[in-house]
Amino acid sequence: MSFGGGVGLITMGHIQIELFATLDLVAQAPGGPDEDPDGFAFGGWQAPLVDDVTGAQIAAAYQGVDALLLGRRTYDIFAAYWPHQDDAFGTLFNRLPKYVASRGTPELSWAGSTQLGPDLVGAVREIRDRHDRVCVVGSLNLVQTLLREKLFDRLDLWVHPIVLGAGKKVFDGGAVPANLTLLQPPAASPKGTVHLRYALADGIPETGDMSA
């Protein structure tokens, strides 16, 4: 993001959140049954709905990304898998710096990994100043903080044509009044998944009277 001023141009980085969700906005454990099984019976719900169109959309979302920001659970899953992959995503993820939000003591065995300090909001702001494009993948607990603090610039949602009725949701305690702008027309895949891309906008939602 760039802001013009009388003394020159000030540039700051961009934080984008990438999430897979159901129609009822459940975003828990899309990738597999062992991802986040606590009290959740639908781990891996995304797998039957992936197609080439969705895959291409996801790949395009990572263009220009120069850092990953992850919660502890997502980091542990990624660190156990991606270092052993040599495909396009593996090559990208393995070379990027990884920042981990955790109150515990994660084992930072994945090359390029750094744990953030206790001032999470301050640390994320510093990361955004340091990088051009920071990508948050999954990490629902971390996402709640970013939503609450309005500390993101773009939100990508892939909404899948299923309803689960249970599980952790995209806006699960972190939502505050906010305006967003649709950046591109919604795009549907052959299996019915709709890609929505929004940017955080200024202000809070206005109200009105439809009968006026």
Side-chain angles (χ1 to χ4, degrees):
M1 302 175 66
S2 300
F3 301 91
V7 294
L9 186 69
I10 300 173
T11 57
M12 60 186 298
H14 173 109
I15 296 176
Q16 62 188 58
I17 299 172
E18 309 291 326
L19 288 176
F20 308 118
T22 65
L23 275 174
D24 53 339
L25 292 184
V26 173
Q28 184 172 352
D34 298 326
E35 190 172 308
D36 186 2
D38 297 341
F40 187 65
F42 297 102
W45 54 263
Q46 182 190 18
L49 298 168
V50 173
D51 54 38
D52 290 342
V53 170
T54 301
Q57 292 168 345
I58 295 169
Y62 286 91
Q63 292 179 1
V65 167
D66 61 349
L68 295 178
L69 174 58
L70 306 171
R72 167 69 180 272
R73 187 188 295 271
T74 301
Y75 174 81
D76 286 345
I77 293 169
F78 278 23
Y81 179 78
W82 287 114
H84 311 292
Q85 310 304 313
D86 59 2
D87 58 10
F89 275 111
T91 300
L92 174 66
F93 288 173
N94 287 321
R95 71 171 174 79
L96 290 178
K98 276 76 67 173
Y99 298 97
V100 187
S102 174
R103 296 185 182 91
T105 54
E107 182 181 348
L108 301 178
S109 57
W110 195 6
S113 299
T114 303
Q115 182 176 359
L116 301 182
D119 178 9
L120 178 59
V121 172
V124 172
R125 288 189 174 124
E126 193 277 331
I127 291 169
R128 183 163 63 177
D129 290 341
R130 187 187 310 169
H131 295 281
D132 292 328
R133 191 175 294 275
V134 180
C135 186
V136 182
V137 190
S139 308
L140 280 177
N141 290 337
L142 169 62
V143 165
Q144 302 315 303
T145 299
L146 301 181
L147 293 174
R148 186 164 48 249
E149 298 292 333
K150 295 187 178 181
L151 193 50
F152 69 97
D153 303 283
R154 192 178 97 194
L155 173 61
D156 278 342
L157 279 179
W158 281 267
V159 181
H160 297 70
I162 55 173
V163 173
L164 298 180
K168 300 173 184 176
K169 296 192 174 186
V170 173
F171 304 103
D172 205 358
V176 296
N179 290 319
L180 291 95
T181 300
L182 187 66
L183 292 176
Q184 62 189 36
S189 75
K191 292 189 176 182
T193 298
V194 179
H195 179 207
L196 301 169
R197 174 170 290 173
Y198 293 98
L200 182 65
D202 292 335
I204 62 174
E206 298 180 356
T207 62
D209 186 349
M210 294 292 291
S211 64

